[in-house]
Amino acid sequence: MNRLTAQILDRLHASDGFLSGGELCREFGMTRSAVWKHVSQLREMGYTIKAVSGRGYRLAESPGIPVAAEVSPRLSTERFGRSLVFHGSTDSTNRQAKALARQGAGEGCVVVADLQTGGRGRMRREWVSPAGVNLYFSVVLRPSVSPVLLPQIPLLAAAAVHQALKAAADGLDASIKWPNDIMAGGRKLCGILCEMDSEPDLAHFVVTGIGVNVNLRDIPEDIQDIATSLALETGREFSRAALLASILNRFEPLYDEWLRTGDLEPLLPYLEEHSWLNGREITVEGYNGSLGGTVTGLGRTGELLLRDGDGKVHTVSSGEATIRK
Ligand code: BTN
């Protein structure tokens, strides 16, 4: 959706009844046929827009594309999502959010895209990001805490996404795979990539990028064994705008409480209860090599506790976990 189409959609959302074509022409400095083209484009995207001669246009139904006009009315946050930049297509929302953060974007600014041409995952992997089906967004955070606490942010985000998914899809069997994936049916439903700009004692910003497979049904063959979507798990479709607002509505209070206390402990029971890894035998690949063992839980600051074959418990603060078959 280009910017003008999105602005026209905003106006249609904001209007209680019909909005006259003439008013739209004046406001956006365009001809009637240009207005009509934007309306047609919105219809092609799934919006039901009634047009009555002499009265104008009225938005009757919307498909839940995560533009500001759809997301804002559903927000209960103070900061998260109050500034929301939507791209019909972009390379990566993390990349865009980092650029905005460097230009001074405030905490809670969200960049969201319908399509990513260079979506990125952890370990420099690609994040498959087709148009029209999923959620790809990044939140700018400016946490005034010691940088040693920053690795806890993905866990806060994962808990927020997990809560929102459970609220949207009753009965969904989703769990949190430490440190930052959401799994369902043994496959990945959501991935989180945090990137930061920091000095040794101070983080300038942290961008938390979140990708959720929402209505994707045609999973590319090469990731069919490892990826799933909400639609595949539940058999129904979801509004991406509503899901985005719901995630932000949960993420902000979790983050604020954590900022206030500097303590992840209140969230640990939730993370443990919904842990995908607890009790499993895994291998963790980290920067210092790999370690195998059985997961016994989480440490006070969110590290994974791993008991090796000799009964020694290791504290793992980062890495990529795989279940041992
Ligand atoms: C992973 O599991 O490897 C993390 C995937 C993170 C994907 C999201 S989609 C929105 C944001 N933009 C990106 O390029 N990546 C993150």
Side-chain angles (χ1 to χ4, degrees):
M1 189 181 313
N2 74 31
R3 192 193 301 232
L4 263 176
T5 315
Q7 283 172 353
I8 288 175
L9 178 63
D10 279 357
R11 282 295 285 117
L12 287 166
H13 260 289
S15 151
D16 279 342
F18 279 89
L19 189 62
S20 85
E23 206 171 319
L24 284 170
C25 292
R26 269 193 305 283
E27 204 170 316
F28 294 101
M30 56 174 73
T31 62
R32 276 181 188 270
S33 76
V35 168
W36 179 254
K37 269 194 198 139
H38 288 286
V39 168
S40 305
Q41 231 164 56
L42 288 168
R43 284 182 173 146
E44 271 165 33
M45 296 172 94
Y47 289 88
T48 308
I49 299 170
K50 299 252 184 291
V52 174
S53 89
R55 297 184 74 188
Y57 300 102
R58 186 174 71 78
L59 181 62
E61 222 177 295
S62 70
I65 298 172
V67 289
E70 302 265 3
V71 179
S72 305
R74 296 166 155 122
L75 287 176
S76 57
T77 56
E78 266 176 29
R79 309 178 320 288
F80 284 29
R82 293 295 168 180
S83 159
L84 187 143
V85 181
F86 176 83
H87 293 275
S89 167
T90 193
D91 48 2
S92 150
T93 57
N94 263 30
R95 193 188 260 258
Q96 295 298 329
K98 282 190 286 181
L100 286 180
R102 286 189 191 110
Q103 289 163 25
E107 180 153 271
C109 171
V110 169
V111 179
V112 57
D114 189 47
L115 159 79
Q116 292 188 124
T117 53
R120 291 178 304 122
R122 296 174 75 218
M123 315 281 177
R124 297 173 192 268
R125 283 188 292 247
E126 177 200 3
W127 185 257
V128 175
S129 310
V133 280
N134 293 335
L135 262 181
Y136 319 111
F137 68 98
S138 304
V139 187
V140 174
L141 303 174
R142 297 191 178 275
S144 49
V145 298
S146 158
V148 296
L149 299 180
L150 299 179
Q152 298 177 15
I153 290 178
L155 290 167
L156 301 171
V161 176
H162 185 265
Q163 290 172 2
L165 290 171
K166 297 287 282 179
D170 200 26
L172 175 76
D173 185 17
S175 42
I176 299 168
K177 180 178 170 214
W178 180 93
N180 49 8
D181 290 340
I182 306 291
M183 308 290 288
R187 295 182 168 86
K188 188 153 154 172
L189 188 56
C190 161
I192 297 168
L193 176 67
C194 286
E195 298 182 279
M196 69 181 94
D197 227 20
S198 74
E199 292 172 33
D201 295 329
L202 173 79
H204 298 296
F205 62 80
V206 175
V207 159
T208 302
I210 301 179
V212 187
N213 294 332
V214 183
N215 297 320
L216 180 70
R217 286 181 188 266
D218 299 323
I219 307 255
E221 215 176 300
D222 55 328
I223 55 168
Q224 263 171 18
D225 290 345
I226 53 168
T228 188
S229 74
L230 255 189
L232 287 175
E233 294 303 315
T234 62
R236 45 189 197 96
E237 304 261 306
F238 293 81
S239 156
R240 289 177 288 156
L243 187 61
L244 172 54
S246 174
I247 293 170
L248 297 174
N249 288 342
R250 287 169 168 84
F251 191 11
E252 185 183 88
L254 288 176
Y255 172 75
D256 280 351
E257 182 61 9
W258 172 80
L259 270 190
R260 202 178 59 78
T261 61
D263 191 0
L264 189 69
E265 229 172 329
L267 198 60
L268 291 180
Y270 186 90
L271 293 170
E272 295 228 7
E273 184 189 343
H274 299 288
S275 163
W276 164 250
L277 296 178
N278 252 6
R280 293 188 191 245
E281 266 195 52
I282 66 159
T283 303
V284 184
E285 299 285 343
Y287 294 105
N288 303 324
S290 71
L291 190 64
T294 306
V295 176
T296 59
L298 291 174
R300 271 202 56 212
T301 52
E303 316 87 341
L304 197 68
L305 303 179
L306 203 59
R307 195 181 51 234
D308 68 18
D310 300 328
K312 184 169 179 237
V313 176
H314 300 260
T315 303
V316 184
S317 51
S318 69
E320 178 92 346
T322 41
I323 309 270
R324 285 202 213 153
K325 292 279 182 278

